[in-house]
Every structure is written in C-alpha cells, then in structure tokens.
C-alpha cells in the first residue's frame, strides 16, 4: 500500500529512525502507526543488545541544579561526536530530570526509574537504536541540601568532570550570594584537586590499607620508637591531599588556606557558621 509522507514524518519524529526504516515499517504494518512504532522500538532493543559489549570511551558528566536539590550523571558512549547528537543530549537531560524526580542515589536507581518510554534503561536502549552505538549510564547521584543549607555545583566546560557539594549553614540564610559563590568555588576546586572524600572516614578502606602498606615499607628501617610518629605524619599528609576540607584551596592567593578554612572564613564574614555536609565528584571513565 502507498504510505503517506506525513505518516512517515510522524513515525520518524516518534522513533528517531531513518525515513526508509519508517516507510518500510509502515508498509509491513499496512499503515498501522502504533504497530509500526512498536516494531521499530523492538528493532532498537535488538540493536542495543548486540552493542552492549562494545567499549564506551567517550561521554559526558552533566549536572542539573534546581533549588535545594541537584543531580549529576555520567553517561558514556563510543565516540565523541555522539555527545553532540540531539538524541544523546536529550537523553542526558532526561536522565538528570528523572534523577531529580526520584532522588536517584546510584546508576541502578536511575536505570529502573520511570520515564515516558518505560524506564530510563528503556530510554537508553531506544537511543542506541537510533545513534547506532553503545550507550551506558555509569554513575548517578542526587544531592539534597541540608535543612536551611545550600548546594554548590560545577561542571567542567569539556563535560568530562563535575562535582557537587552540600553546605550546612548556621545563622546564615540559604540565599546568601557569597555562600553560594564559595560553594560553587569549592565544587570547582574539587574538579581540579580530585579529592576522594569529604571526611577521613569516607576514604575507601581498601585503598587506605594499600597506602598504609606502602608507608610501612618506607619506615620499616626506622627505629621502632619513632615509626608510629612517622606513620602519623605520612597519614596526615595523605589526608591533606585526598580529603576535601583538608586540601589547600586552589583559589587561595597565598596557597595556604584549606577548603575548610576558606569556607569558615566566608561564613564568619556572612555572620554565621558553615560546614560541608555532602560531596560527590564524577570524572568520565573513573
């Protein structure tokens, strides 16, 4: 049967598939739009399954910050040009909106969250069918500001790294512009300085154990009575390098003030107190 050009255009807009694919699908279904759309979606799922093992070395880290809540995701693909594909960009935005809506704390949370296509996992598979390459959600996290507090965020211009930090406030309004600015600056600092956690306890214990093992090897020839002090010094140095509040703030003009000291000074100038309450940093591939 002859297929109307308007029907082909409508199906293409719904599925993102090519003109020929849409025309063939409509012909096979005798013009039944709903069945043709279903068949094309199934084809997309088949493509997604076949591409699932292909490496994803490119992608984006994106953040959406709305009021006292913010979401960050890492969405990976195979090739850099795909990150500018309108379908991929729309998928990133859908992921952020969905994460905010459900409060996703992990990629697993977001993958099973509901979207217009079923779940976010279904949405990914639908886009794979259109762009023709593997797409994977690597990480996701939604941050809620503490009561009366605020969130700072920063996504690097290359879309490959981003960070968010939640700040608790005492005696300061959450709308304070100077505190918003320092929170954003701490997020920017985090992208550059690559802290592993915002507390010493947050450092991965397996990673810490390996570091201690190396340190012990370095001090084993020292007298037993000073080994403990040397180890303490080495650990403090390690924490100063890896724990966010203890790092030297990258924007400090003298290169002496830590992130914690910078935050406390800004809070004091604003007439109150402030502290880091949560932190997350994503970098593509890490």
């Amino acid at each position: 049967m002859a297929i109307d050009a308007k029907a082909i255009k409508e199906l293409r807009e719904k599925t993102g598939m090519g003109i020929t694919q849409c025309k063939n699908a409509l012909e096979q279904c005798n013009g039944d739009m709903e069945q043709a759309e279903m068949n094309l979606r199934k084809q997309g799922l088949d493509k997604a399954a076949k591409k699932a093992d292909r490496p994803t070395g490119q992608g984006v880290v994106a953040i959406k910050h709305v009021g006292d809540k913010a979401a960050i995701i890492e969405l990976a693909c195979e090739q850099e040009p795909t990150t500018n594909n309108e379908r991929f960009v729309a998928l990133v935005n859908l992921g952020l909106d969905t994460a905010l809506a459900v409060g996703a704390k992990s990629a697993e949370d977001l993958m099973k969250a509901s979207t217009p296509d079923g779940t976010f996992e279904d949405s990914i598979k639908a886009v794979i069918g259109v762009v023709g390459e593997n797409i994977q959600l690597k990480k996701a996290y939604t941050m809620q500001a503490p009561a009366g507090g605020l969130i700072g965020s920063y996504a690097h211009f290359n879309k490959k790294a981003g960070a968010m930090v939640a700040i608790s406030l005492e005696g300061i309004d959450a709308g304070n512009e100077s505190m918003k600015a320092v929170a954003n600056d701490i997020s920017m600092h985090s992208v550059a300085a690559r802290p592993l956690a915002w507390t010493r306890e947050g450092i991965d214990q397996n990673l810490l154990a390996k570091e201690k093992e190396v340190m012990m090897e370095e001090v084993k020839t020292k007298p037993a009575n000073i080994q403990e002090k040397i180890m303490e010094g080495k650990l403090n140095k390690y924490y100063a390098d890896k724990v966010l509040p203890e790092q030297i703030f990258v924007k400090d003009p003298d290169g002496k003030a830590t992130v914690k000291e910078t935050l406390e000074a800004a809070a004091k100038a604003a007439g109150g107190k402030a502290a880091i309450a949560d932190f997350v940093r994503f970098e593509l591939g890490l």
Side-chain angles (χ1 to χ4, degrees), residues 11-24:
L11 184 58
R12 191 177 185 210
E13 289 175 349
K14 285 183 175 181
T15 64
M17 296 296 187
I19 293 175
T20 301
Q21 289 173 295
C22 292
K23 181 175 181 293
N24 291 340

Side-chain angles (χ1 to χ4, degrees), residues 25-45:
L26 286 165
E27 287 176 344
Q28 291 167 7
C29 298
N30 295 316
D32 187 322
M33 179 68 67
E34 185 176 338
Q35 186 59 50
E37 182 181 354
M38 179 62 68
N39 288 351
L40 286 177
R41 288 190 183 280
K42 288 179 179 178
Q43 290 177 28
L45 294 178

Side-chain angles (χ1 to χ4, degrees), residues 203-216:
I203 298 287
D204 181 87
Q205 292 303 299
N206 292 326
L207 179 61
L208 186 58
K210 291 177 182 178
E211 290 294 330
K212 287 181 177 180
E213 187 177 336
V214 173
M215 293 175 189
M216 286 298 296

